[in-house]
Every structure is written in C-alpha cells, then in structure tokens.
Amino acid sequence: MGCSAIGGLLWANSQNRLAQQDAIAEEAEKEPGVESDAYILAKGDYSNLEELLTDVDKPVYDRYTLKQRQEKGLPTMLPPLAVYNKEKVAYLTFDDGPDNKNTLAILDILKANGIHGTFYVTGKMCEENPEVLKRIFNEGHAIGNHSYDHDYKRLYQSKDSFLAEMQQTDDIIFNILGVRPFIIRAPGGTVGMFSADFYPALTEAGYVEHDWNVSSEDATPKRPNAARQIKFVDGMTKGDLKDNMALVLMHCCGGKEETVKALQGIIDVLKAKGYRFGVVTPITPQPW
C-alpha cells in the first residue's frame, strides 16, 4: 500500500474517531425527558419557553426536578413571561385527586367534549392511583401540585415546610410521569394561609401558584347538588371577569359525585357565554 493510501486510511480513521467522539459528546449533552406535541417541556435553561409558551392550549412541564436543577447548577426561577389574556378563557380545575372513580368519570366527560382540564393532585393520591395520573397526563390535561395530603398544620408551618412538601409531591409525580409541574395550588387557597415570605420563595423555586375566581362550591359544608353547582358557576361568571378569565374550582376526589353530575351543565353554561377552554400554565393570569 502506497504512502498516499496509508495516509488516506489514517485520515479516514481519525475522522471516524472524531465523529464518534462528537456523537458521544452530543449524547451526553442531550437533556432528559420525552418530547411530545401534547405538552411543552422546558429546556434546562428555559430558553424555549418564550417562543413556545404563547397560548394556554398545552400543559407545560419541567424535565428536571428542583433538586436536579440545583445539583446541575441550572436556573430554578422562571424567566419573565407575558400573561395570556387575549380572549375569554375558562380553566376547569379539579383538586384533591386522582381517585379511581370520580376522576375517571370527569375524564370521560372532558374527553366527550374535547376539552382539557387542569388537575391539582396530591402526592398521596398519586401514590394510590398512579394509572389514573398517567391517564390524565396521556390525555393532554395539565397536572399541578396540590401538596402531599392536605395536612394544613404541617404544610403551613413555614415557607420551608411548604416548599419541602411541594418537592416531595414533585418527586412522586416525576417518578410516575418523568416530568415536574410548574403550577401549584395551595390547599384552601393562599388567603389566610401564606405569609409574605412564601411568595418570593415560590418564585425562586420556579413555582406558579393559582387560586380561583369561580367555584362550584362543591367543597363547602352544604355540599350543593349538581343543579346548585351549575347555578353558582353561572352566577359567578355574569359580567366581565379580570383578564377575561374564569378559573373554576371543582374537586375530583371521593364524595364528589354531584360535581360529576354538574360538569356537563357547567361546560354548557361557559360555552354559552363565549368562553373557550384552556389549561393552567405559567402564563395563565392570576385570578385576583
């Protein structure tokens, strides 16, 4: 073999090695998580959010847990994002699931209507019903963090105890789905529960909390029947609401059979008032 041929072979081998090294390096730089058209998955540096997060049609998740972000030196605080208030949007939200009865019935109704809702789940219920959580996720609904088990005394001791429980529930969700939600809802709402130091701590950790401005009142002591729940939602959505938004509180756990019965009527009322339906994301306006 001549010198030129040997040189060519050596050059080709070196190029192959470089290509292999580049492929290995590229693979190492790939971020975790499964991309999907059904949701937006934030990059490690959040650089894709401003471009992709322009509507409220798709849920938004993180591909890292908060602990993973901290360990990798990635940002935890979300970048500034413009809120979405371009049209009348109703957000159907369901707290305290997932259970294996009423949550499933609600999912069936939403599917029949072609609507995506937002489910604020507890860690304990996710542990008990992981397959229901997977169905919520796979059918394109948004998932939010709603604490581990609603233990107010433990949860609201301090901002640190609140954050610790959010991370505990994050980890449970992440271990089942491979994603972490950014959106959370404080059990009982923030009024009277949060002190001033809670808000900057949540912002620093990348959480976005939403209360509500419309309720079916299905968690009140009177436990209204389906007709009353529909009437409550109808009454609370008369006139213009802040940022053209109806953020509707309902529940999907045990004992909420009347909510299941009311849901179709609530959907019909909101449609008749010109609302379209979205899922809660970091750009959903605050209800107050």
Side-chain angles (χ1 to χ4, degrees):
M1 183 181 293
C3 291
S4 60
I6 293 173
L9 183 60
L10 291 173
W11 183 86
N13 287 339
S14 69
Q15 292 301 109
N16 287 336
R17 284 196 300 272
L18 288 172
Q20 290 172 353
Q21 290 170 359
D22 288 343
I24 292 170
E26 182 180 348
E27 184 66 28
E29 290 175 3
K30 282 184 179 178
E31 294 189 304
V34 178
E35 304 287 345
S36 171
D37 291 335
Y39 53 80
I40 296 170
L41 198 59
K43 289 185 176 181
D45 60 1
Y46 296 141
S47 60
N48 62 333
L49 289 184
E50 186 175 1
E51 176 187 356
L52 297 179
L53 192 49
T54 58
D55 206 330
V56 288
D57 290 328
K58 294 181 181 181
V60 183
Y61 299 110
D62 196 359
R63 66 183 74 224
Y64 298 100
T65 65
L66 186 57
K67 183 179 180 181
Q68 288 171 342
R69 283 190 168 277
Q70 292 166 339
E71 290 175 346
K72 292 176 179 292
L74 295 170
T76 57
M77 185 187 301
L78 288 169
L81 298 166
V83 298
Y84 186 86
N85 56 6
K86 299 177 182 178
E87 56 188 321
K88 291 177 72 171
V89 180
Y91 301 88
L92 302 179
T93 71
F94 305 91
D95 290 9
D96 298 352
D99 81 337
N100 59 7
K101 179 185 175 184
N102 290 329
T103 302
L104 294 175
I106 286 168
L107 287 169
D108 289 343
I109 295 168
L110 294 175
K111 187 174 184 178
N113 284 272
I115 291 171
H116 290 131
T118 301
F119 290 79
Y120 287 100
V121 299
T122 66
K124 186 174 187 295
M125 294 298 285
C126 290
E127 289 175 330
E128 293 178 5
N129 300 292
E131 294 306 315
V132 183
L133 182 69
K134 289 177 184 177
R135 180 180 168 186
I136 294 170
F137 179 72
N138 290 334
E139 293 187 0
H141 305 285
I143 293 169
N145 187 329
H146 195 49
S147 83
Y148 178 73
D149 63 357
H150 255 234
D151 185 329
Y152 284 26
K153 185 176 181 180
R154 183 185 66 242
L155 180 65
Y156 291 116
Q157 285 179 357
S158 67
K159 65 177 176 59
D160 293 330
S161 62
F162 187 88
L163 282 170
E165 194 158 322
M166 291 298 108
Q167 290 186 58
Q168 177 189 7
T169 302
D170 276 350
D171 290 344
I172 292 167
I173 295 170
F174 191 88
N175 288 336
I176 296 170
L177 301 178
V179 298
R180 174 181 81 102
F182 291 110
I183 60 170
I184 67 171
R185 174 171 283 162
T190 58
V191 177
M193 299 295 185
F194 277 16
S195 54
D197 60 344
F198 277 56
Y199 296 99
L202 291 178
T203 300
E204 176 64 31
Y207 291 119
V208 183
E209 201 281 340
H210 288 90
D211 287 348
W212 57 91
N213 61 353
V214 177
S215 174
S216 72
E217 303 291 338
D218 64 350
T220 58
K222 291 184 179 180
R223 293 183 176 270
N225 62 21
R228 291 283 291 166
Q229 290 189 40
I230 296 167
K231 187 174 181 179
F232 282 133
V233 172
D234 185 22
M236 292 181 195
T237 52
K238 286 180 178 176
D240 295 329
L241 297 177
K242 177 181 176 290
D243 286 315
N244 297 313
M245 168 185 79
L247 214 167
V248 186
L249 170 66
M250 293 172 280
H251 295 77
C252 62
C253 51
K256 302 303 178 187
E257 288 76 16
E258 290 299 314
T259 304
V260 174
K261 295 176 185 177
L263 181 55
Q264 185 61 58
I266 289 170
I267 290 170
D268 293 342
V269 162
L270 293 169
K271 280 183 176 179
K273 295 184 178 187
Y275 284 96
R276 78 171 183 90
F277 297 90
V279 296
V280 178
T281 79
I283 65 170
T284 298
Q286 291 299 320
W288 306 114

